[in-house]
DNA sequence: AATTAGCACTCTCAGCTCGAGAGTGCTAAT
DNA sequence: ATTAGCACTCTCGAGCTGAGAGTGCTAATT
């Protein structure tokens, strides 16, 4: 594989830059004019031809300007993009917003999605932190009416699961409370497996409750990702590449199919560390529907313990520098918030 | 105001029907052919002219067919539409889906949104049931680490609010538990106002906790509507009237602005009973962005106690019969589920 | 008085041409 | 290796055209 020369790298950067601004193919003349280059348009044309042969650029049609290919963007992002921190002012604004919000996880996640969407002018997605190891933390049983019981189950990590169920008999609140107390005493930090092994001496009601607890823990275990927060879907519609509704539809449909989303967010992430920002350009993300799009994703939370995913979806022509910095910054912010409020 | 003749009413129905199928202006010839009418196209043209003068129809341009106006749709929905029940098979499928799902509120709401979206081929929205009168039901305090405490507060109606906060000192779980027990004993069914009046003899920690409880209740009280579930946004994109992205953008942007949504769902509903289905056609819904759209909304839940809103958003050209029946059916289904699982 | 056949007229839509503009690739000169 | 010069190519929007759909009007019919 041939290497790009220094000059070609510069040109690639400029082409990417110009294209992200104008959304139109970039011509050799334009490039000279726009950036006052010390070389002639003819030279640029030669270089462009070379880069096209190497696969970094492509022409939408003969005698149009050049547009970066997937490979071109990939090279740009991996090798040419120096990632500036977000401007201090921006960072402060964002941080400020987080401290102004209700100090609650769901508010933070909603806000994170909103911040991502606004600062990157793209669709954003944030999943609630979720722990792979599901363990019992605390149980509460509340009698509602007749034989109906509301169970509130807190898992290690802070996930809260609730379930309403009926018993065969009416059980007074006192009995429920003492049952809860007993289970709380014995099951502290137990995983599902440990719970199975535990030899508890329970009566009928106790066993039903234990069954419900296990169900809920199983459910939580099976869950790949936590609750999903999205924002800025309309930003995508505003992009010129999606002026055709067909395109927009195929891109946004990803957001409406939960299992695809699960796949996308989990599979593409095998072995990624918290704090790494992953950029999926066009077809890299095996999803045909996203051929035109790029994804910028990052994990946040506490490695191997309690993690969520966040990121943005936009057209391949995306201000990667800005977008990546924003994703990284918000991911770190959420990681800090999760760490501060961790429930162990 | 002149009245429509019987024949004009029939024609209006047919025009609406034909237009919802084809999405194109309906011509007099087409109408005769399609429905084997016993009158000639010329007569229909005369009638059409009359109806256009009365404001029920309009021509997109000279010598095109007619399209129902907002007023036309309004008359059709109010006077001409006989609303069939959903076919038994459909109803069974839907019911079946609900009983197959995890028996949990959030799953039901998600499912409701999905069912609405699929059966009406439109965007759907469902808000979690929320009670105007906020009252204390049950409290739980869980020590997480150091002086951090996780509070889980169950409100009458079943809403669960959680909050993590820090105390000035490390308080053992036993102390927290007994504090919770005490508050549970005294605050049962208290509203915020009653809570203020209650003369509890609490220590520092107790007062902090009480403060947090009040905060959460205040927050819940201020909440106009509950959590929002949406689905089928892409269905809207698929409609031909939204082939132009601009249009689609303005319609969908409603879904992304929480305060507009709050307004829309609450304001348009003053004094509506559970079970009534409300149809907002085009500009009727004071929102300029929705000029092209219709909304079909219904409350569900338990009147004056615990209510949510659900509905669909589609183009004005909508299969109203089908859509209204679906909304009504799902609303009733959710009402039943809420009633069965009410936490009093 | 209501209905209808007949017909001229209007407007859209898809397809076509055409010229301007932007951009290229090649060649020959520097 | 670079560049000026130039012929060539392709898109895009404007303007034109004919077919098709649909109307409104008038005069005849029931």
């Amino acid at each position: 594989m041939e290497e790009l020369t220094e000059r070609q790298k510069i040109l690639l950067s400029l082409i990417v830059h110009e294209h992200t601004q104008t959304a139109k193919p970039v011509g050799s003349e334009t490039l000279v004019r726009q950036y006052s280059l010390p070389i002639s348009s003819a030279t640029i044309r030669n270089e462009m031809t070379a880069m096209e042969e190497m696969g970094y650029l492509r022409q939408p049609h003969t005698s149009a300007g050049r547009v970066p290919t997937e490979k071109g963007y990939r090279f740009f992002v991996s090798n040419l993009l120096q990632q500036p921190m977000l401007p201090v002012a921006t960072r402060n604004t964002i941080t400020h917003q987080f401290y102004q919000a209700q100090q609650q996880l769901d508010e933070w996640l909603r806000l994170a999605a909103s911040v991502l969407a606004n600062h990157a002018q793209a669709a954003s997605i944030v999943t609630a932190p979720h722990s792979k190891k599901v363990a019992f933390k605390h149980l509460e049983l509340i009698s509602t009416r007749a034989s109906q019981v509301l169970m509130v189950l807190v898992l290690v990590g802070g996930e809260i699961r609730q379930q309403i169920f009926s018993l065969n008999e009416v059980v007074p609140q006192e009995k429920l409370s003492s049952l809860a107390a007993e289970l709380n005493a014995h099951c502290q930090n137990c995983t599902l497996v440990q719970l199975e092994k535990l030899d508890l001496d329970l009566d009928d009601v106790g066993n039903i409750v234990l069954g419900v607890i296990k169900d809920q823990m199983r459910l939580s275990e099976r869950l790949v990702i936590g609750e999903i927060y999205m924002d800025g879907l309309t930003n995508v519609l505003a992009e010129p590449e999606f002026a055709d509704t067909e395109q927009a539809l195929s891109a946004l449909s990803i957001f409406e199919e939960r299992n695809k989303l699960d796949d996308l967010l989990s599979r593409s992430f095998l072995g990624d560390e918290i704090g790494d920002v992953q950029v999926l350009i066009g077809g890299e993300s095996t999803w045909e529907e996203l051929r035109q799009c790029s994804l910028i994703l990052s994990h946040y939370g506490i490695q191997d313990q309690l993690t969520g995913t966040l990121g943005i979806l936009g057209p391949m022509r995306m201000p990667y520098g800005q977008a990546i910095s924003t994703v990284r910054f918000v991911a770190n912010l959420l990681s800090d918030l999760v760490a501060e409020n961790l429930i162990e």
Side-chain angles (χ1 to χ4, degrees), chain A:
Chain A
M1 166 74 85
E2 305 160 66
E3 269 291 315
L4 286 178
T5 64
E6 278 313 307
R7 191 169 65 184
Q8 286 172 333
K9 291 181 187 172
I10 293 174
L11 283 176
L12 181 56
S13 292
L14 293 181
I15 291 169
V16 167
H17 183 257
E18 184 67 14
H19 181 59
T20 48
Q21 304 261 318
T22 62
K24 288 200 282 250
V26 182
S28 54
E29 291 284 4
T30 323
L31 220 46
V32 185
R33 231 181 306 115
Q34 201 65 26
Y35 300 94
S36 319
L37 296 183
I39 49 180
S40 81
S41 65
T43 312
I44 295 184
R45 281 201 290 284
N46 289 334
E47 296 285 37
M48 278 175 157
T49 315
M51 287 160 82
E52 182 165 13
E53 273 161 13
M54 288 189 267
Y56 294 96
L57 298 178
R58 112 195 129 73
Q59 276 182 298
H61 50 85
T62 341
S63 80
R66 300 311 206 283
V67 164
T69 59
E70 197 181 304
K71 181 175 171 186
Y73 279 121
R74 165 53 49 209
F75 188 87
F76 172 74
V77 169
S78 305
N79 304 312
L80 304 178
L81 185 64
Q82 61 260 23
Q83 288 158 27
M85 297 285 278
L86 286 180
V88 185
T90 314
R91 282 153 61 200
N92 286 344
T93 314
I94 297 177
T95 314
H96 185 67
Q97 282 182 286
F98 273 86
Y99 283 94
Q100 281 232 311
Q102 269 304 310
Q103 301 298 300
Q104 294 195 151
L105 187 61
D106 60 335
E107 281 301 323
W108 284 329
L109 297 176
R110 217 183 304 282
L111 183 56
S114 154
V115 165
L116 285 174
N118 289 328
H119 283 259
Q121 280 301 303
S124 68
I125 189 162
V126 178
T127 75
H130 176 67
S131 63
K132 295 223 169 56
K133 297 175 205 134
V134 176
F136 182 103
K137 168 76 189 173
H138 191 95
L139 171 75
E140 197 58 24
L141 296 171
I142 303 157
S143 165
T144 61
R145 54 172 184 180
S147 58
Q148 222 173 44
V149 176
L150 166 65
M151 179 189 86
V152 178
L153 177 64
V154 181
L155 300 175
V156 171
E159 219 169 311
I160 296 185
R161 303 200 60 100
Q162 49 184 296
Q163 170 81 62
I164 293 172
F165 59 96
S166 285
L167 296 169
N168 303 324
E169 51 194 307
V170 178
V171 180
Q173 177 67 54
E174 297 82 55
K175 176 121 194 293
L176 289 176
S177 296
S178 68
L179 174 59
E182 193 189 334
L183 286 167
N184 278 328
H186 288 100
C187 302
Q188 204 58 229
N189 293 316
C190 280
T191 63
L192 193 48
V193 182
Q194 290 170 322
L195 216 54
E196 300 278 7
K197 283 186 197 142
L198 224 54
D199 199 12
L200 294 168
D201 185 24
L202 297 171
D203 58 7
D204 282 358
V205 174
N207 277 317
I208 292 177
V209 170
L210 189 58
V212 178
I213 294 176
K214 286 181 189 165
D215 279 352
Q216 285 298 327
M217 288 177 70
R218 246 187 298 274
L219 264 156
S220 175
E221 221 163 45
R222 211 172 306 151
L223 216 62
V224 199
I225 53 178
E227 209 185 336
I228 296 174
Y229 297 80
M230 298 190 272
D231 204 342
L233 300 200
T234 48
N235 288 345
V236 173
L237 289 182
E239 298 289 346
E241 23 271 281
F242 298 107
D244 178 16
T245 323
E246 297 279 333
Q247 299 289 332
L249 212 160
S250 85
L252 288 187
S253 65
I254 289 282
F255 280 68
E256 289 215 323
E257 294 188 50
R258 180 61 192 255
N259 50 351
K260 274 194 193 161
L261 211 49
D262 279 12
D263 246 36
L264 186 65
L265 294 181
S266 51
R267 201 203 295 178
S268 62
F269 256 113
L270 301 168
D272 259 39
E273 307 256 324
I274 296 290
D276 283 1
V277 175
Q278 182 159 341
V279 183
L280 294 172
I281 297 168
E284 288 178 2
S285 48
T286 53
W287 282 263
E288 190 51 45
E289 296 93 325
L290 298 183
R291 182 73 32 136
Q292 311 280 350
C293 305
S294 283
L295 276 162
I296 300 181
L297 298 172
S298 175
H299 273 184
Y300 72 91
I302 303 164
Q303 188 86 48
D304 296 327
Q305 234 184 310
L306 188 64
T307 61
T309 306
L310 59 77
I312 60 180
L313 168 76
M316 227 196 293
R317 175 187 67 81
M318 187 191 266
Y320 287 97
Q322 160 101 350
I324 293 174
S325 326
T326 309
V327 168
R328 185 195 319 266
F329 182 69
V330 174
N332 286 337
L333 210 78
L334 279 192
S335 290
D336 291 349
L337 289 174
V338 168
E340 272 172 38
N341 293 282
L342 181 66
I343 288 161
E344 336 187 89

